[in-house]
Amino acid sequence: MLLRMAVCARLCGGGQSRRCRRRQRHSQADQDSDSEMDMDDEEEEERVVGKTKDEPEGSSCHNSRPSGAGALGSGDSASASAGPPHPQSLLDLPPELLVEIFSSLPGTALPNLALVCKKFRQILNTETIWRRRCTEEFGMRDDLRKMEIVGMSSRDLYVKRVNPQVKSGRFMKLLPDYEHMDYRDVYTHLLHPYRHILGLWQPDIGPYGGLLNVVVDGLFIIGWMYLPPHDPRVEDPMRRRPLFRIHMWEKNKATIECMYGHKGPHKGDIQTVKKDEFSTKCNQTDHHRMPGGRQEEFRTWLEEEWGRTLEDIFHEHMQELILMKFIYTSQYDNCLTYRRIYLPPCLPSDLLQPGLFKGTYGSHGLEIIMLSFHDSKAKATKLTGDPNVPAGQLTLEIDLNCPVRLPDLEHQRSMEELSRLVLGVHEEAQRGLQARDAPSEAAEADPPQGAEGVEPGAAACSAAPEAQPFVLPLGVMTRNEVYPRTCKMCFYGTGLIAGHGFTSPERTPGLFVLFDDDRFGFIWLELKSFSLYSRLTDQLSHAQAPSIERFEAMLRNMQSWTS
């Protein structure tokens, strides 16, 4: 349908532009063949938007054909003159129908369409067309004619950080003048030029990583850094901090501002390094400094990052980790490189919906991981990390072919009993790996039956299991005593542990505990600790992986970024 419209638009019937007529004069030799194509296209258009001879005359869009128009149908002039006129090109359609047609085309195709003729160019100035493109392609929801607050948390970003003395009723004086702004300018100079940075990104901050979400928010494109809730409240919502924003300060120009620090927006820059990678730069880093010097900056950072003061943290090792992170991360001054990441694809056979989760990691605080499924394996990859196991590494790997049946509640309290069950499955899993590496005769042998407490792997994802009581064994450390007391399923898995600086990394056995669709846990046997994970429920747009292959390649690249 759109192809036929494009052909008709190029031909333009009798209302051709000067450029179209010039091309016809320069291609006189092909005129006969072009005429035949014109006739075929006109007949096709008649079947799509034309009217039959039996329709009433009052339903016609035009009373006469444009000058120079060719005949339609069989070429019988008497029959054509007796019936109502039929549109023979897009130019014959009423403007409101053309607006609807053009609104369904990609915004990138509209500038070329405006070159066809004067009528098309005039229609493409209609705000409805560009507003629909801004909405459908970029999710822009605000009405430029009715906006009172521009962008998420505009009252905070402008009033409190630019001038705290301004009353709420006067904050619009601090905003740009959008009176003469239109959707075409927003699409052309803001949304389309910066479309490649929308979505999820991981900043290159050494072992710490992070999660950046770049979204269209009103007349802004804002880069929000996602921060886990304060330790150990793993089920609290994520916190967000704006790092940069792009908006239309002038009619035909987008402005980039750094939002880092506490003195309000200031000049910044964004550079696209290569595909799926970009960098931010602050041009006024003095805005990041505080009057009290580094000590005041550290106290403010500690309150925002951990929700407490250094005096409240009694563990000396934890104090060292916190101070180390502040010194390392503050040196970047919001001059960072970001690499694109995708949300994991979802399949009907998955144990639960994959996605992003917040998890407890002992003295390192809360970290963000990505749960994905790969045939009979579930993998949890760190998006944020620590000096021991950095971001990008595979923190958990779960074998869905090795479910574990928990004993009764009384025996669950025994760490020795849990270790016996999990290590028994671990030995069977190791023998299975050796059997796969053995000669083909071994593959024909009967598969191992498993140790006590192990069920066949085929039952792992069959019927929905009933909830069973769950309690942590005595002696297992946990940051949060408020964990679910029932679980659905348990599986054998391994967790990655390492020394400071990611030295001597090794995978150690543990137990994966599925509580419900939004929570799971992992018991680290060697560390005698428990990590609780809760789903990140924020809506994340422009983050779906184009294909499973692209997602798998991204996971491999993430490990190399911080190895």
Side-chain angles (χ1 to χ4, degrees):
M1 176 67 176
L2 293 179
L3 179 59
R4 293 195 295 269
M5 293 177 182
V7 173
C8 291
R10 181 174 59 81
L11 296 175
C12 286
Q16 296 171 339
S17 68
R18 183 178 305 173
R19 181 177 301 182
C20 296
R21 293 194 295 271
R22 187 181 300 115
R23 282 200 299 267
Q24 283 186 345
R25 289 196 298 269
H26 290 170
S27 58
Q28 187 66 31
D30 299 329
Q31 185 173 5
D32 294 338
S33 59
D34 288 340
S35 299
E36 294 177 0
M37 185 176 63
D38 292 354
M39 184 68 70
D40 294 338
D41 291 329
E42 288 170 355
E43 290 177 353
E44 185 69 18
E45 187 68 19
E46 179 185 7
R47 288 193 293 269
V48 176
V49 299
K51 297 178 174 58
T52 63
K53 296 179 180 180
D54 297 333
E55 288 179 307
E57 186 174 354
S59 63
S60 175
C61 298
H62 299 278
N63 294 327
S64 61
R65 299 178 181 173
S67 61
L72 294 174
S74 62
D76 188 348
S77 60
S79 175
S81 60
H86 301 291
Q88 61 178 353
S89 75
L90 288 179
L91 286 173
D92 295 338
L93 298 178
E96 58 270 19
L97 185 55
L98 288 176
V99 168
E100 181 64 26
I101 294 172
F102 295 167
S103 296
S104 63
L105 299 176
T108 53
L110 300 183
N112 288 335
L113 190 60
L115 299 176
V116 173
C117 61
K118 182 178 179 180
K119 181 176 180 179
F120 283 9
R121 184 166 62 253
Q122 292 174 340
I123 291 177
L124 286 171
N125 287 328
T126 306
E127 278 282 81
T128 304
I129 298 175
W130 295 99
R131 178 178 181 179
R132 181 169 169 182
R133 298 326 313 146
C134 292
T135 300
E136 294 185 359
E137 295 183 28
F138 301 102
M140 183 176 176
R141 301 299 177 189
D142 295 295
D143 189 341
L144 300 187
R145 302 296 172 258
K146 299 179 180 179
M147 292 185 68
E148 296 179 354
I149 299 179
V150 183
M152 186 92 176
S153 302
S154 293
R155 192 181 300 270
D156 292 335
L157 297 182
Y158 278 99
V159 178
K160 294 182 180 179
R161 298 191 180 189
V162 177
N163 186 353
Q165 307 302 322
V166 175
K167 297 181 180 179
S168 59
R170 299 172 53 198
F171 76 97
M172 278 296 291
K173 293 184 179 181
L174 298 173
L175 301 179
D177 182 8
Y178 294 100
E179 182 180 355
H180 304 292
M181 193 73 64
D182 57 46
Y183 285 96
R184 183 170 187 167
D185 288 334
V186 173
Y187 185 99
T188 304
H189 301 289
L190 176 66
L191 301 182
H192 185 262
Y194 292 98
R195 67 193 183 281
H196 297 302
I197 69 171
L198 298 177
L200 293 181
W201 304 83
Q202 187 177 46
D204 184 6
I205 315 180
Y208 298 103
L211 178 63
L212 179 81
N213 187 26
V214 184
V215 299
V216 176
D217 196 342
L219 287 179
F220 289 92
I221 293 178
I222 301 182
W224 293 101
M225 181 67 82
Y226 275 65
L227 304 173
H230 293 139
D231 183 46
R233 300 194 294 269
V234 67
E235 297 195 42
D236 284 2
M238 295 287 290
R239 297 174 295 126
R240 299 191 304 170
R241 177 188 302 163
L243 293 190
F244 65 85
R245 69 181 181 187
I246 314 169
H247 62 108
M248 299 286 293
W249 189 265
E250 301 175 6
K251 181 178 177 64
N252 295 323
K253 183 180 179 181
T255 299
I256 302 171
E257 293 179 322
C258 174
M259 303 296 294
Y260 192 75
H262 299 270
K263 293 185 179 180
H266 47 283
K267 293 181 180 180
D269 190 22
I270 290 179
Q271 296 179 347
T272 301
V273 180
K274 56 184 178 180
K275 184 179 180 182
D276 294 334
E277 186 175 315
F278 76 95
S279 297
T280 58
K281 180 182 179 181
C282 177
N283 297 330
Q284 294 177 290
T285 55
D286 57 298
H287 280 62
H288 306 167
R289 307 283 78 87
M290 301 187 72
R294 298 291 280 177
Q295 290 186 349
E296 183 179 353
E297 292 174 12
F298 175 65
R299 284 195 297 268
T300 304
W301 175 87
L302 185 61
E303 183 178 355
E304 293 178 351
E305 188 84 6
W306 293 84
R308 62 183 77 176
T309 64
L310 196 62
E311 291 74 17
D312 297 331
I313 304 172
F314 302 104
H315 199 289
E316 184 177 352
H317 177 61
M318 190 173 180
Q319 290 181 352
E320 294 176 355
L321 292 174
I322 292 174
L323 184 59
M324 183 188 310
K325 184 175 183 179
F326 169 75
I327 295 174
Y328 192 95
T329 57
S330 61
Q331 66 179 328
Y332 286 93
D333 265 338
N334 208 22
C335 299
L336 295 168
T337 297
Y338 299 88
R339 299 182 179 95
R340 182 180 293 280
I341 58 178
Y342 300 109
L343 293 177
C346 181
L347 298 176
S349 58
D350 292 342
L351 183 65
L352 71 159
Q353 183 180 355
L356 307 185
F357 290 78
K358 305 153 285 182
T360 56
Y361 278 85
S363 56
H364 296 292
L366 300 188
E367 297 184 9
I368 306 173
I369 63 102
M370 174 186 292
L371 180 68
S372 56
F373 292 90
H374 312 263
D375 296 329
S376 62
K377 301 286 186 180
K379 298 181 180 182
T381 305
K382 279 192 171 187
L383 297 185
T384 60
D386 52 69
N388 290 62
V389 179
Q393 297 301 316
L394 185 62
T395 178
L396 303 178
E397 186 173 32
I398 313 303
D399 192 340
L400 301 179
N401 284 332
C402 297
V404 176
R405 183 175 62 247
L406 293 177
D408 58 74
L409 200 60
E410 185 62 30
H411 287 86
Q412 287 183 34
R413 300 181 184 276
S414 170
M415 187 63 187
E416 291 75 15
E417 179 67 15
L418 177 66
S419 297
R420 185 182 68 84
L421 289 177
V422 175
L423 292 178
V425 182
H426 176 70
E427 294 175 359
E428 288 293 333
Q430 295 301 312
R431 284 197 291 268
L433 292 176
Q434 296 174 0
R436 274 184 287 181
D437 297 335
S440 57
E441 302 86 47
E444 299 176 359
D446 294 334
Q449 298 300 315
E452 180 183 354
V454 182
E455 298 177 348
C461 301
S462 55
E466 296 182 359
Q468 58 180 320
F470 174 81
V471 65
L472 284 176
L474 297 176
V476 173
M477 298 177 294
T478 176
R479 302 290 294 179
N480 195 335
E481 295 291 343
V482 183
Y483 62 87
R485 292 308 195 265
T486 60
C487 68
K488 298 170 63 175
M489 306 180 75
C490 295
F491 296 90
Y492 157 79
T494 60
L496 183 62
I497 62 174
H500 187 84
F502 198 40
T503 57
S504 305
E506 62 173 323
R507 306 207 67 84
T508 61
L511 182 67
F512 174 87
V513 184
L514 177 62
F515 295 115
D516 50 45
D517 292 340
D518 296 320
R519 292 176 297 178
F520 64 87
F522 190 80
I523 300 177
W524 309 73
L525 292 186
E526 184 171 330
L527 302 178
K528 291 186 178 181
S529 66
F530 173 71
S531 293
L532 177 64
Y533 299 84
S534 178
R535 185 182 297 277
L536 192 154
T537 57
D538 299 62
Q539 295 296 325
L540 304 173
S541 57
H542 302 281
Q544 298 302 321
S547 64
I548 295 180
E549 292 75 19
R550 287 282 294 275
F551 178 78
E552 296 281 358
M554 179 207 72
L555 288 183
R556 292 191 296 269
N557 291 334
M558 288 178 65
Q559 294 187 27
S560 66
W561 295 341
T562 55
S563 294

